[in-house]
Amino acid sequence: VRELPAKERIIVALDVSNVDEAKSIVNSLKGEVGAFKVGLEAMSLGIAHEIAVWVMNQGEKIFWDGKWSDLPNTLKGAAVGLKNRFGKMPWAVSVHANCGQKAIAEVVANRGDSLVLAVTALTSLKDTDCEKIYDCDALKAVLRLLKVAIEAGVQGIICSPQEASLIKLNLKAVGVNVLLITPGIRPLGSEVGDQARPATPKEAIMWGSDFLVIGRPITRAKDRVKAARIITSEIEMALLERSM
Ligand code: C5P
């Protein structure tokens, strides 16, 4: 993944309410970014499959961000069902680490060529929330869930850019190499919106991210290609700096 070109590291979030909007975004960004993410909103609306099939037929990659969390047998069914529906697994799928090692391992066992990406503690949770749920602070919760996900054999971890360096350190300590995927990216000068602790593309890469999930700073830009290219060059420079 070290050699992966900068633009391939951008995953564009298709947070859309209709298929045409998704197609317009993908059409404008084809060849400019690495992958497109469909999530729960599109799934609830019943448009996620149509979008995903269309995007894959364009030769582009799909991250199926279903954030699965259920029993082992149910998650096996979810993975097999997705494969049957598409004829192959999408480029990446997401699961919650809190559903436990066995359930995650079922997805890993049925992943085909797909990358299984685990969410540790949701970045929307504050320390006080984690105390209530996990009886420890957010950082400890993240590290515990990270261990579960790694033991289940995931290919990547979804985390906030702020957690990336600590997670990288912990992975290094146990000699495991998995991908870090970080949302919450805001280039300098763009609107922060509802992101609580955003990082710039440069920061995210310097802190150890491999892939950046970016929505509105690209999809809502007047010129999407220009926005994507500016971010790509920022990633390129950060990668260079990181390797020195
Ligand atoms: O538009 P924006 O760049 O904020 O979109 C980010 C995408 O990443 C959205 O699809 C959002 O659901 C997802 N995400 C996030 N923050 C997290 C986890 C996921 O923004 N902590």
Side-chain angles (χ1 to χ4, degrees):
V1 75
R2 265 199 186 165
E3 287 77 37
L4 195 66
K7 67 177 181 180
E8 297 289 326
R9 296 170 184 267
I10 300 175
I11 303 172
V12 172
L14 296 175
D15 294 320
V16 295
S17 50
N18 66 74
V19 178
D20 287 342
E21 212 182 326
K23 286 185 180 175
S24 136
I25 294 172
V26 177
N27 273 329
S28 58
L29 290 169
K30 234 186 273 176
E32 298 287 341
V33 297
F36 296 92
K37 175 176 99 74
V38 284
L40 291 171
E41 184 182 354
M43 290 172 202
S44 290
L45 289 167
I47 57 173
H49 280 94
E50 187 180 343
I51 293 173
V53 167
W54 185 85
V55 171
M56 289 196 271
N57 283 340
Q58 305 293 306
E60 298 291 321
K61 295 186 192 122
I62 277 286
F63 169 18
W64 188 262
D65 190 18
K67 295 201 171 62
W68 292 336
S69 179
D70 216 311
L71 309 181
N73 199 44
T74 308
L75 285 203
K76 179 183 177 183
V80 172
L82 202 58
K83 196 188 306 176
N84 290 342
R85 175 88 190 232
F86 292 141
K88 62 168 186 178
M89 284 295 268
W91 171 70
V93 297
S94 62
V95 296
H96 272 286
N98 67 11
C99 66
Q101 194 176 328
K102 262 194 192 156
I104 305 168
E106 284 291 355
V107 181
V108 171
N110 291 284
R111 72 184 180 91
D113 295 329
S114 190
L115 305 170
V116 180
L117 311 177
V119 179
T120 57
L122 283 172
T123 51
S124 54
L125 301 178
K126 300 194 185 78
D127 278 338
T128 48
D129 300 309
C130 287
E131 290 290 350
K132 282 186 195 165
I133 305 170
Y134 302 110
D135 203 19
C136 61
D137 62 26
L139 220 53
K140 273 199 187 127
V142 166
L143 294 179
R144 275 188 202 168
L145 290 160
L146 174 70
K147 190 159 183 274
V148 174
I150 295 304
E151 284 172 4
V154 301
Q155 284 65 50
I157 298 290
I158 301 166
C159 61
S160 94
Q162 279 85 1
E163 292 159 2
S165 50
L166 182 81
I167 291 182
K168 266 268 145 99
L169 268 179
N170 272 269
L171 291 172
K172 221 175 173 182
V174 291
V176 174
N177 197 10
V178 298
L179 303 167
L180 295 192
I181 293 87
T182 58
I185 305 295
R186 289 292 177 273
L188 288 179
S190 68
E191 274 179 43
V192 170
D194 54 6
Q195 293 288 2
R197 292 186 298 145
T200 64
K202 179 179 179 184
E203 285 168 333
I205 294 290
M206 293 307 286
W207 295 340
S209 297
D210 297 298
F211 290 92
L212 314 186
V213 176
I214 306 175
R216 288 159 289 180
I218 292 179
T219 57
R220 302 246 176 110
K222 266 196 214 109
D223 184 340
R224 292 183 187 130
V225 173
K226 190 175 163 200
R229 286 187 182 167
I230 289 173
I231 294 173
T232 294
S233 54
E234 191 175 329
I235 295 175
E236 237 158 37
M237 291 202 291
L239 285 169
L240 207 66
E241 206 171 313
R242 192 170 84 173
S243 69
M244 289 196 296

